Amino acid sequence: SEESSLDLERGVVNHPSRSPFGSQSLQPHGSVGQHESSAAYFSWPSRIKDDAEERANYFANLQKGVVPGKYYDRLPEGPRAYTLLDLMTIRASHSKFLRCNSQGTAIGFRIRRGFLTDIPAILVFVSRKVHKQWLTLTPLECLPTALEGPGGVWCDLDVVEFSYFGAPEPTPKVQLYSETVDGLCGSDPLIGSGSQVANQETFGTLGAIVRSQTGNRQIGFLTNRHVAVDLDYPNQKMFHPLPPALGPGVYLGSVERATSFIRDDLWFGIFACINPETFVRADGAFIPFTEEFDMTAVTTSVKGIGEIGEVKTIDLQSPVHSIVGKQVMKVGRSSGLTMGTVLAYALEYNDEKGICLLTDFLVVGGDQRTFDLEGDSGSLIVLRSENGEKPRPIGIIWGGTANRGCLKLKVGQPPENWTSGVDLGRLLNFLELDLITSDEALQVQEQEQLAASMTVVGSTAGDSSPPDAVILPKDRTEPLGLHFLHLPIDDIPVGPFGPDINSSPTEEVDSDGGTNPPGPGFEHQFIP
């Protein structure tokens, strides 16, 4: 089509691609476009049958007395959708129809001539758009102009062309050389948001300096799960800039908590799709700094951005413009400082098994430049400052264009790169972490952590009862960054293929070799 406004003329073609978002297995080691290669490592939640019945009742009550409609020739007469929740509810009410007739959908604004308008709309991604002259104008080929949901609330439907190129041959990670990137990769004496972090197999970007809300209030950092834990070889030790086997580097710490997927109702607080198997990509890992690491080398300031403010929480009751259309920036170890725009929220797509997956943010770079490169996984997404306020972080990058394809937003221009991000506020909440935003606050947290550690040591020393476990002295040499925990034979969980050193005693091994969380609301895995 010439422009997105042609959608208003009923002339929208719908030819879903044979390869939906994420339908290929992509580069396995920390690729910015990575797709999960083994769901068993982070088990899918249980109670799917119960959830299906609860979900069906939810939508039945939501639509009681109202039959959601599709409008091809005219616009509805009810109130127009205004909030993120309005549009997500309308989309969920029509999710079966949309799942069958698109590659994916998202919440955003109507796009005309490549620019965002202020008209809230559900974005529908198709593989090809053509002029209405070449359509037979049957319901199977044309998507409606608008959709009406429960309560008569309605919204526009906008169609965006998604060019899927398939998974290319694996290519080495590249980086744009600059002074900033050079510093992030090891030439700076400080480590912070944007710095390179690596395990034995791959590398990525440190997202933010955080503190645990539990235990000894440990200080550490946040990055992606797929950066910190390899699914085939779950080596959980992290270094900067490189592990000893590959080059110079310092041991930072070991992964303590990580998560890959969260049920949609636990993440958003609502059912986001009629499909019972619906999950949100929540790709995060927490790595507390080891006691031997020099904390004076840690900074909360983001290179090229400076000091950041508090996390911007995403409230579904807020208007669409509270997040969509916002200008953002990020600092990553491969591309350094880049600018972009939040094009859409709550991107929904299907994998090859029919499972519905969602991701929070869809970001496009500015001036036809990519927002991220491979190796930028884990980078902090920060809102550009307004009215002199500090820039506020909203998410971290987990994937993008690298192996997925491009969005064609403007006629006469090539397809644009895009980036996927995780909602930082929700991720911190599920991993039980707090963001540290200033070096002064970092020093205070260090003192609190020291005090908490001393309290634990004191209470242990004063306990006359025999200890439940023996803490072995640490081998401080650790020339290869390896640390072995010696457990009694009886304490080692046994999986279907022998002792399972990656399972905690509270988890159950399912029939597929994965682990089931101990409770229905427990989605992230604590890694011993």
Side-chain angles (χ1 to χ4, degrees):
S1 66
E2 294 181 8
E3 56 180 81
S4 293
S5 59
L6 287 176
D7 300 350
L8 294 174
E9 303 176 11
R10 301 180 53 206
V12 179
V13 65
N14 168 28
H15 288 299
S17 169
R18 295 178 182 177
S19 300
F21 287 101
S23 63
Q24 301 284 340
S25 294
L26 306 176
Q27 299 182 36
H29 298 306
S31 166
V32 75
Q34 179 174 345
H35 180 69
E36 290 298 323
S37 61
S38 173
Y41 187 82
F42 288 85
S43 62
W44 295 106
S46 55
R47 297 173 56 246
I48 290 295
K49 293 182 179 179
D50 295 339
D51 293 338
E53 183 177 353
E54 183 180 352
R55 190 179 297 260
N57 292 334
Y58 171 83
F59 284 105
N61 292 330
L62 195 65
Q63 299 171 10
K64 190 171 294 183
V66 177
V67 179
K70 309 177 188 71
Y71 291 80
Y72 292 89
D73 299 316
R74 61 184 177 85
L75 296 179
E77 298 178 354
R80 186 189 288 265
Y82 177 69
T83 67
L84 295 169
L85 181 60
D86 288 340
L87 273 80
M88 290 184 70
T89 302
I90 295 172
R91 179 177 66 176
S93 301
H94 294 274
S95 60
K96 286 185 178 179
F97 166 75
L98 293 172
R99 281 166 62 87
C100 294
N101 294 282
S102 71
Q103 291 181 314
T105 59
I107 305 304
F109 289 118
R110 177 175 285 280
I111 302 170
R112 288 179 177 169
R113 299 184 181 274
F115 297 97
L116 291 179
T117 68
D118 59 355
I119 303 173
I122 295 174
L123 305 182
V124 180
F125 301 105
V126 299
S127 61
R128 184 65 176 167
K129 289 171 60 176
V130 298
H131 194 278
K132 66 178 183 178
Q133 176 179 339
W134 312 116
L135 304 179
T136 59
L137 297 181
T138 64
L140 293 179
E141 281 194 314
C142 293
L143 286 166
T145 299
L147 290 178
E148 183 179 8
V153 179
W154 64 278
C155 69
D156 284 47
L157 212 65
D158 195 17
V159 178
V160 178
E161 186 172 314
F162 175 81
S163 302
Y164 183 82
F165 305 117
E169 292 298 321
T171 57
K173 296 180 177 65
V174 297
Q175 64 186 57
L176 300 176
Y177 179 80
S178 67
E179 184 180 351
T180 298
V181 170
D182 195 40
L184 297 172
C185 292
S187 68
D188 277 356
L190 299 178
I191 184 174
S193 180
S195 297
Q196 176 174 301
V197 291
N199 62 21
Q200 295 285 11
E201 298 292 333
T202 187
F203 61 83
T205 299
L206 186 154
I209 305 300
V210 294
R211 183 197 72 157
S212 173
Q213 297 173 354
T214 61
N216 294 343
R217 305 294 192 270
Q218 294 166 295
I219 299 171
F221 63 92
L222 179 73
T223 188
N224 285 147
R225 194 282 310 150
H226 78 261
V227 169
V229 182
D230 187 274
L231 293 176
D232 296 319
Y233 306 99
N235 188 304
Q236 301 162 18
K237 296 207 168 203
M238 299 295 291
F239 303 84
H240 170 76
L242 293 169
L246 299 179
V250 174
Y251 173 52
L252 301 177
S254 298
V255 179
E256 181 180 295
R257 307 169 206 167
T259 183
S260 284
F261 297 96
I262 303 290
R263 281 207 328 256
D264 60 329
D265 56 315
L266 299 177
W267 188 257
F268 293 118
I270 62 170
F271 290 114
C273 178
I274 292 178
N275 183 31
E277 295 183 310
T278 302
F279 306 94
V280 180
R281 178 68 182 251
D283 193 337
F286 169 58
I287 300 92
F289 287 113
T290 180
E291 294 178 2
E292 290 78 11
F293 184 72
D294 181 11
M295 291 298 295
T296 61
V298 178
T299 179
T300 59
S301 179
V302 183
K303 191 166 187 175
I305 295 178
E307 195 170 293
I308 56 176
E310 296 299 324
V311 177
K312 165 72 174 177
T313 57
I314 309 301
D315 184 359
L316 297 186
Q317 303 270 8
S318 300
V320 177
H321 65 72
S322 65
I323 186 61
V324 178
K326 292 294 185 181
Q327 301 298 305
V328 293
M329 48 191 174
K330 80 98 186 62
V331 176
R333 59 80 52 205
S334 295
S335 57
L337 176 63
T338 57
M339 307 295 173
T341 303
V342 179
L343 181 73
Y345 179 74
L347 171 67
E348 176 190 312
Y349 58 97
N350 303 325
D351 76 350
E352 70 277 6
K353 297 179 181 179
I355 296 175
C356 179
L357 301 176
L358 293 106
T359 189
D360 293 301
F361 304 117
L362 183 66
V363 181
V364 294
D367 301 325
Q368 294 290 318
R369 294 181 58 189
T370 183
F371 188 66
D372 71 301
L373 292 173
E374 289 188 276
D376 285 335
S377 287
S379 299
L380 198 64
I381 304 175
V382 183
L383 288 170
R384 300 185 69 173
S385 57
E386 299 178 353
N387 303 321
E389 298 178 350
K390 294 179 182 178
R392 300 182 65 182
I394 61 167
I396 62 172
I397 291 173
W398 74 261
T401 295
N403 296 314
R404 301 293 184 87
C406 297
L407 299 172
K408 188 173 182 182
L409 304 178
K410 190 177 298 185
V411 173
Q413 296 291 335
E416 297 188 28
N417 295 330
W418 56 277
T419 298
S420 296
V422 180
D423 184 331
L424 181 62
R426 286 179 166 85
L427 183 60
L428 292 175
N429 180 55
F430 272 87
L431 290 180
E432 298 175 307
L433 303 171
D434 291 320
L435 182 69
I436 303 177
T437 59
S438 69
D439 290 341
E440 292 76 12
L442 177 61
Q443 294 176 3
V444 172
Q445 301 299 344
E446 286 184 67
Q447 295 299 321
E448 291 187 4
Q449 177 180 327
L450 179 61
S453 299
M454 295 300 293
T455 301
V456 171
V457 171
S459 62
T460 302
D463 188 356
S464 59
S465 61
D468 294 330
V470 177
I471 301 177
L472 300 177
K474 294 184 177 179
D475 180 1
R476 295 182 179 272
T477 56
E478 295 188 327
L480 296 179
L482 301 176
H483 177 64
F484 299 92
L485 179 62
H486 299 280
L487 297 176
I489 296 299
D490 294 340
D491 292 342
I492 299 179
V494 179
F497 304 103
D500 184 0
I501 63 172
N502 293 317
S503 300
S504 75
T506 59
E507 295 172 338
E508 297 178 356
V509 180
D510 62 25
S511 59
D512 295 326
T515 56
N516 289 327
F522 189 91
E523 298 298 334
H524 61 263
Q525 182 181 31
F526 286 78
I527 304 175

